[in-house]
Amino acid sequence: MNTEAQPEPSIRVNLSNEEIETVLQGCRLNQRVAQKKLYTIYYRYAMSIALRYSSSYDNAVEITNDAFLKIYKDLKKFVPRFDSTAISFMAWFKKVVINSSIDYLRKYHKKEMMVTTDLEHVVLSYEHETAEQMFQYKEIMKAIQKLSPTYKAVFNLYVIEGFSHAEISVKLNIAEGTSKSNLSKARQNLQKLLQRE
């Protein structure tokens, strides 16, 4: 993974290990109350990821809902990898949402994903962020959403998620050189979009 990865805007999910284990166990047993609680707690976090990959708020909602369906279905396979169940689940959850975003792009933008060329709803902020920083973040997110699906996917995976070009080439089924080229073009387009704003 590259070292350029950026931290997530702070989404506070303040659950103890015991609380999250109780909710997850309820979800494994298909208890509606537990599923609703998980959805309510993690919805904003999922949306913050999905919005980076989608071209509209409605598409992000669809990605988020698809991700939750996969989470409910595959939760029996989830095994905590750290001492903290809450931290392990957050990492696993993020991976599922990213993969759901990529699946969505493949499904609806297949032709664009196969090319081989060499936000009103974003309300996330850091705890100690100034109004100006929050405004800048929203402007950057809006500009990222205007990128083509291919450029957006490569930019998010490399810059925000921290994947290497080799990992991106596998995830998106493109050549490593194409990933590098698309990242370069995504940065150029993003710079132009931000200058226009």
Side-chain angles (χ1 to χ4, degrees), residues 60-117:
V61 169
E62 187 174 339
I63 290 167
T64 297
N65 289 332
D66 287 347
F68 272 101
L69 290 174
K70 288 175 187 172
I71 287 161
Y72 296 141
K73 181 181 167 214
D74 295 338
L75 199 51
K76 292 174 184 169
K77 299 175 190 173
F78 168 68
V79 178
R81 296 184 182 221
F82 308 110
D83 291 340
S84 167
T85 301
I87 292 171
S88 292
F89 179 72
M90 194 82 150
W92 182 76
F93 181 91
K94 179 179 180 180
K95 183 179 176 183
V96 172
V97 178
I98 290 169
N99 288 337
S100 292
S101 299
I102 292 168
D103 290 346
Y104 182 88
L105 290 172
R106 279 193 194 124
K107 184 176 179 181
Y108 293 104
H109 301 284
K110 192 171 187 171
K111 287 180 184 173
E112 292 176 65
M113 293 304 291
M114 298 307 287
V115 295
T116 55
T117 57

Side-chain angles (χ1 to χ4, degrees), residues 102 145 170 180:
I102 292 168
Q145 285 187 319
V170 171
K180 291 176 183 177

Side-chain angles (χ1 to χ4, degrees), residues 115-129:
V115 295
T116 55
T117 57
D118 274 353
L119 189 31
E120 303 306 313
H121 298 284
V122 180
V123 291
L124 312 171
S125 64
Y126 290 103
E127 195 172 315
H128 303 292
E129 190 174 41

